[in-house]
Amino acid sequence: MAQRTVLVVLFDGVQSLDVSGPVEVFAGAETLTPGTYRIRTASLDGGPVRSSSGLTLVPDEALADASAPHTLLVPGGRGTRRPDPRLTDWLRAHGPRAPRLVSVCTGSLLLAEAGLLDGRRATTHWRFCDQLARDHPAVHVEPDPIYVRDGHIATSAGVTSGIDLALALVEEDLGRDVALTIARHLVVFLRRPGNQAQFSAQLAAQTASREPLRELQRWITEHPADDLTVEALAARARLSPRHFARAFRSETGTTPGRYVDRVRLEHARRLLEDTGDGIEEISRASGYGTPEAMRRAFLKALGTAPAEYRRRFRPAPTP
């Protein structure tokens, strides 16, 4: 197997975890299967850069001296807000030549500024999705997934999603067993599907300020198959339905119905990804009642049916 060079671009204000997370994954793969990855780091002038957290990173070389990589990885960080024009020019010239172009977090802003994402699907950290869409209307921004792959270009959301994407790339290159061993070593999930939401239902909604509503949020997540109508939830919170609905929306930023919908969808997706349970069993366990009701929910939220979702995102069994 030919050795793949992974070149990581460094710049002042880079997010150190965007660099170290993927690098640890590729370095782990090289340790397990020597000769598969050659990891290099480079800055514009070859000099040290200071990360957004204050860490100093020393690159291997200057970008001008770097050999053409197989995987060109562009991390994010504060330095992407007002990038050095020389960096954008370098990416515009060299990005199209890389067989695999990858960004982590707001690194996608640099790719977009270089015109490398025009006409493509992409994502970034949730805080900057609106900015990416506004400043670069030719980019098809998908704000929900933790990473998006469009041809040879892959973009990921914030920080730890760079590890998820790197593991997916290693699994593609070297197989599931290698990726699984690395994930165990790093104590992370082997494979969060790329279209998994950047937030769980509880993180997507604000946490209620009052303990009864906070406890109810937790209870809903743990009991998706129960009666979760406004009336039933109001009774559990010991409030009138009208007062409950108003208070829940005021404190969480979403309605009880939308919160329940997200919890049930998240639960069903997890069962489809992690278990061999049948569609009918999963629909009941997730509170949909029938496979058809779950199918309608999946088509509305994800644009795909549960069976197709499982086919695409459930990891293949390890031999």
Side-chain angles (χ1 to χ4, degrees):
M1 181 179 295
Q3 187 180 57
R4 296 173 171 86
T5 298
V6 178
L7 178 64
V8 183
V9 177
L10 301 182
F11 47 86
D12 283 324
V14 71
Q15 163 63 257
S16 57
L17 279 174
D18 290 358
V19 176
S20 61
V23 164
E24 288 293 341
V25 172
F26 289 116
E30 170 62 20
T31 298
L32 290 171
T33 54
T36 51
Y37 292 109
R38 176 175 177 262
I39 304 165
R40 306 291 291 172
T41 58
S43 66
L44 272 171
D45 301 317
V49 301
R50 194 165 181 82
S51 74
S52 57
S53 63
L55 291 175
T56 297
L57 305 178
V58 181
D60 296 306
E61 57 196 334
L63 284 171
D65 299 328
S67 58
H70 171 271
T71 299
L72 177 59
L73 192 150
V74 182
R78 295 174 190 164
T80 63
R81 317 286 172 79
R82 295 180 179 177
D84 189 318
R86 294 179 300 159
L87 178 57
T88 305
D89 290 343
W90 187 92
L91 289 172
R92 186 178 295 113
H94 293 83
R97 304 177 189 175
R100 195 156 63 191
L101 183 58
V102 177
S103 70
V104 181
C105 196
T106 54
S108 57
L109 300 181
L110 294 177
L111 298 187
E113 188 66 26
L116 300 173
L117 298 182
D118 287 355
R120 294 187 179 274
R121 297 162 45 247
T123 194
T124 190
H125 189 285
W126 61 270
R127 286 183 57 197
F128 297 94
C129 284
D130 287 345
Q131 177 184 329
L132 179 60
R134 182 183 65 251
D135 294 347
H136 304 281
V139 181
H140 304 298
V141 180
E142 298 189 7
D144 195 42
I146 58 173
Y147 63 82
V148 170
R149 301 188 66 180
D150 188 336
H152 73 291
I153 298 179
T155 54
S156 60
V159 189
T160 58
S161 63
I163 295 177
D164 294 300
L165 177 54
L167 284 169
L169 297 177
V170 167
E171 183 176 355
E172 177 183 286
D173 293 342
L174 305 176
R176 179 176 171 81
D177 287 347
V178 173
L180 176 60
T181 302
I182 297 167
R184 285 172 174 163
H185 177 71
L186 297 177
V187 198
V188 296
F189 289 108
L190 168 60
R191 183 173 181 265
R192 288 194 296 172
N195 77 334
Q196 181 169 316
Q198 293 192 31
F199 292 116
S200 67
Q202 284 188 301
L203 287 178
Q206 302 168 29
T207 300
S209 58
R210 282 181 281 180
E211 177 57 30
L213 291 183
R214 286 201 303 271
E215 178 57 35
L216 186 63
Q217 284 181 280
R218 290 191 291 268
W219 186 87
I220 291 171
T221 303
E222 295 168 359
H223 299 84
D226 281 33
D227 181 0
L228 301 181
T229 60
V230 168
E231 291 74 19
L233 294 174
R236 177 169 286 274
R238 298 182 180 178
L239 298 170
S240 71
R242 179 176 295 182
H243 185 192
F244 165 72
R246 185 167 56 247
F248 191 94
R249 181 165 190 169
S250 173
E251 295 194 24
T252 68
T254 189
T255 65
R258 290 197 185 105
Y259 187 79
V260 168
D261 287 345
R262 184 151 192 168
V263 165
R264 284 176 167 163
L265 184 68
E266 188 176 289
H267 188 261
R269 289 169 69 169
R270 187 164 58 249
L271 293 179
L272 288 168
E273 294 164 16
D274 297 339
T275 76
D277 296 348
I279 298 295
E280 185 170 352
E281 183 179 356
I282 290 174
S283 67
R284 290 197 304 269
S286 302
Y288 291 110
T290 67
E292 179 57 27
M294 184 168 78
R295 180 176 177 276
R296 288 196 301 269
F298 267 65
L299 289 173
K300 180 179 179 181
L302 305 174
T304 188
E308 174 63 14
Y309 179 88
R310 166 171 273 174
R311 186 189 71 78
R312 291 172 58 193
F313 296 111
R314 187 184 178 197
T318 304

